[in-house]
Amino acid sequence: MKYVDEFRDPEMAKTLLKQIEALTLEIPKASKRPLQIMEVCGGHTHSIFKFGIETMLPDCIELVHGPGCPVCVLPMGRVDDCIAIAETPNMIFTTFGDAMRVPGSKKSLLQAKAEGCDIRMVYSPLDALELAKNNPDKEVSFFGLGFETTMPSTALTVLQAEADSVENFSLFCNHITIIPTIKAILDSPDLKLDGFLGPGHVSMVIGNSPYNFIANHYKRPLVVAGFEPLDVLQSIWMVLKQIKEGRHEIENQYNRIVPDDGNNIALQSIGKVFELREFFEWRGLGSIDHSGVKIRDEYAKFDSEKKFDLPSLKIADPKSCQCGEVLKGVIKPWECKVFGELCTPETPLGSLMVSSEGACAAYYQYGGALMEAKKAEAEKTAS
Amino acid sequence: MCLGIPGQIVSVKDPIRHLAVVDVSGIQRDVNVACIVSDDRPIEKCIGDWVLVHVGFAMSRIDEDEAAETLKILEKLGEVEEELEAMRTTGT
Ligand code: SF4
């Protein structure tokens, strides 16, 4: 496929790996402890596991899988709210497929569907709007999820609903914003991160300048990265080069997609429809100030939160879940007590096991060999 | 949901609603292109463009020059490697 295959060349990957290894030899601190590089975005987590990138890297580089999977950080109370909407009489509840299996406090959307709720998976919020037009005697609610990457799509859908005077469509808005999240991670006291791979598709919307504080204030390098294997490897190489040269800058490896100043039309549509919430609750990370958006009052008639009666309860994660520690990079997924036994992709306890962009599901699916090797290593050092 | 997929705009469907038909690996579907059109590049002029599609919306035009540039940088890294390899094997 054009613009995909070129960035998957295995020979080039080998070369890049050699260059990466050579660079690490020139970074003195890499010999004392592994250099920790966090990929913020779940899309990168997915690529890293799918292509086995973590297993190829030298031992002195540790990838920390960050909180950038919107499905994975969804708190249980929000899933319960979805189910409350779905159980409203005469309702068609629509969602991206990724969200179907996220556990709520009593059930997931998949279970609610099996029990008779009309819940449908759609590819695009526009498909949900189309459903509303075709079913004028029903209500249609769309479960809006994601960082700035998907925010323009739901904002534009709301604007289209208004232009077409569709009365029976609404959005249950659970969009989250990336910058306060990265800030919360950088402020965490147990932070050891040496650099970041920046989220390529969020950046295509917001541009590169919002990250400047990471370089200026926290003095860490960030390279906005693409998602193919060569993109990821080249970006790691660029982060290492900055570390070696004692620089901390915001660089863009993903020039073919990410313009430095983002996408103005997308940003305008976001600004028109959404405003910041004072705080938003994250699974595993607690509440983060200004980390979510809600629908502005002007568009209240398209807001599922205002249209329907929601429980909106705060529900604590099960005690055995260690999703928060995994998200912050404090423990590895396989170190969670319930990993692979009580918590599997078929019966997830924590949401990191749900989406293929979640660190636990990725380890479970692709990480077998790596996990075994690391477990053996940990046992060896313990004995 | 977050990964996106490259596709090529093949025709205009509904200019008022900013809808175009995009071919993604042989599958054609309606895609909203509002985020990549502008006054100097209206929807009709976008036919043939490669775009990155997320959940039914074209979110970015793929910049062919930049793609070529990135590949060139990668190639250069490869050349350095070849030179180093040559140095190592010849020992000079
Ligand atoms: S194994 Fe399950 S409970 Fe443990 S951190 Fe992963 S998703 Fe959360």
Side-chain angles (χ1 to χ4, degrees):
Chain A
M1 200 192 308
K2 202 168 179 197
Y3 301 117
V4 171
D5 297 337
E6 301 93 315
F7 292 93
R8 290 190 179 175
D9 175 20
E11 281 309 308
M12 190 62 229
K14 270 188 219 149
T15 306
L16 266 170
L17 280 163
K18 275 194 209 153
Q19 302 275 0
I20 286 173
E21 198 163 354
L23 252 182
T24 57
L25 297 177
E26 295 179 58
I27 301 174
K29 66 176 170 186
S31 63
K32 297 195 190 75
R33 63 164 182 86
L35 297 169
Q36 284 195 325
I37 300 175
M38 175 181 272
E39 88 273 6
V40 181
C41 174
H44 285 138
T45 307
H46 180 79
S47 296
I48 285 164
F49 283 99
K50 184 169 168 204
F51 298 105
I53 291 173
E54 200 169 43
T55 42
M56 295 184 232
L57 288 171
D59 288 345
C60 60
I61 298 176
E62 191 179 310
L63 295 177
V64 178
H65 316 298
C69 163
V71 174
C72 305
V73 294
L74 203 66
M76 273 203 277
R78 287 262 152 186
V79 179
D80 289 357
D81 287 347
C82 286
I83 290 166
I85 300 175
E87 284 172 345
T88 309
N90 217 26
M91 171 66 66
I92 304 175
F93 189 75
T94 53
T95 173
F96 293 134
D98 314 43
M100 288 295 279
R101 281 181 302 120
V102 185
S105 69
K106 293 187 194 71
K107 55 190 153 188
S108 65
L109 283 167
L110 196 64
Q111 286 160 323
K113 185 179 163 79
E115 286 169 16
C117 288
D118 191 349
I119 299 175
R120 305 193 196 175
M121 284 189 264
V122 289
Y123 162 70
S124 164
L126 287 175
D127 298 342
L129 182 60
E130 221 33 55
L131 262 177
K133 288 183 192 165
N134 296 336
N135 294 275
D137 52 337
K138 297 230 173 200
E139 275 294 329
V140 175
S141 170
F142 177 73
F143 186 20
L145 268 183
F147 284 95
E148 284 87 342
T149 314
T150 50
M151 246 184 238
S153 68
T154 50
L156 288 165
T157 303
V158 166
L159 294 172
Q160 191 65 54
E162 171 156 80
D164 295 346
S165 313
V166 183
E167 303 273 326
N168 59 333
F169 171 82
S170 65
L171 172 71
F172 181 38
C173 176
N174 285 271
H175 286 297
I176 42 183
T177 57
I178 199 86
I179 297 294
T181 316
I182 300 185
K183 218 158 174 261
I185 291 169
L186 280 162
D187 284 333
S188 108
D190 35 11
L191 179 89
K192 288 182 291 198
L193 299 175
D194 297 286
F196 290 92
L197 299 186
H201 293 149
V202 168
S203 313
M204 114 196 130
V205 175
I206 68 172
N208 295 329
S209 58
Y211 304 116
N212 286 344
F213 74 98
I214 297 173
N216 298 339
H217 183 72
Y218 293 93
K219 312 229 178 296
R220 298 291 201 288
L222 178 144
V223 175
V224 171
F227 295 86
E228 296 304 329
L230 294 189
D231 290 321
V232 175
L233 288 173
Q234 189 185 13
S235 302
I236 292 173
W237 180 84
M238 288 166 77
V239 170
L240 293 174
K241 197 145 170 33
Q242 287 202 39
I243 297 176
K244 186 206 137 193
E245 292 168 5
R247 289 182 293 126
H248 32 81
E249 290 162 20
I250 308 305
E251 292 180 324
N252 183 6
Q253 181 273 339
Y254 203 26
N255 279 314
R256 66 185 184 278
I257 294 292
V258 178
D260 278 339
D261 40 8
N263 186 315
N264 208 8
I265 302 168
L267 286 173
Q268 273 171 7
S269 67
I270 292 175
K272 207 163 172 188
V273 176
F274 300 125
E275 63 186 353
L276 283 181
R277 292 179 195 262
E278 255 170 72
F279 57 85
F280 195 79
E281 190 70 28
W282 293 59
R283 183 174 291 214
L285 295 177
S287 172
I288 303 178
D289 286 353
H290 299 133
S291 63
V293 298
K294 59 181 178 189
I295 297 174
R296 286 184 187 278
D297 279 344
E298 294 96 291
Y299 299 97
K301 63 176 176 191
F302 300 108
D303 189 347
S304 299
E305 272 175 81
K306 298 208 173 104
K307 232 172 156 174
F308 308 108
D309 216 9
L310 304 183
S312 300
L313 296 178
K314 213 172 136 173
I315 292 154
D317 288 326
K319 278 226 163 54
S320 49
C321 276
Q322 292 182 276
C323 300
E325 283 153 279
V326 173
L327 279 175
K328 281 186 272 185
V330 179
I331 64 166
K332 288 279 167 193
W334 51 269
E335 290 170 326
C336 172
K337 288 189 276 304
V338 292
F339 178 92
E341 281 157 33
L342 289 172
C343 187
T344 64
E346 283 70 42
T347 53
L349 263 189
S351 44
L352 292 177
M353 197 53 104
V354 175
S355 153
S356 64
E357 293 171 18
C360 292
Y363 259 92
Y364 191 90
Q365 206 183 347
Y366 300 108
L370 180 69
M371 215 168 66
E372 289 307 319
K374 294 228 162 138
K375 255 191 194 159
E377 203 179 295
E379 273 161 24
K380 218 165 66 198
T381 41
S383 62
Chain B
M1 169 171 88
C2 312
L3 270 182
I5 183 156
Q8 193 172 26
I9 299 180
V10 290
S11 62
V12 176
K13 174 84 182 260
D14 178 348
I16 296 168
R17 290 193 170 77
H18 304 292
L19 287 181
V21 179
V22 172
D23 181 302
V24 177
S25 289
I27 299 166
Q28 303 211 335
R29 87 153 266 152
D30 295 354
V31 165
N32 180 303
V33 294
C35 289
I36 57 140
V37 294
S38 59
D39 287 345
D40 24 303
R41 208 169 169 104
I43 189 164
E44 320 78 68
K45 288 217 175 127
C46 296
I47 293 170
D49 287 0
W50 280 86
V51 291
L52 194 68
V53 182
H54 282 264
V55 299
F57 289 76
M59 291 305 304
S60 188
R61 184 175 282 106
I62 301 176
D63 188 322
E64 312 207 11
D65 296 341
E66 291 290 358
E69 190 61 29
T70 306
L71 288 169
K72 220 160 70 197
I73 295 172
L74 284 169
E75 237 162 64
K76 261 208 193 118
L77 279 170
E79 278 165 23
V80 175
E81 177 57 33
E82 267 167 38
E83 259 172 58
L84 287 176
E85 194 60 35
M87 250 186 237
R88 272 195 285 267
T89 47
T90 54
T92 48

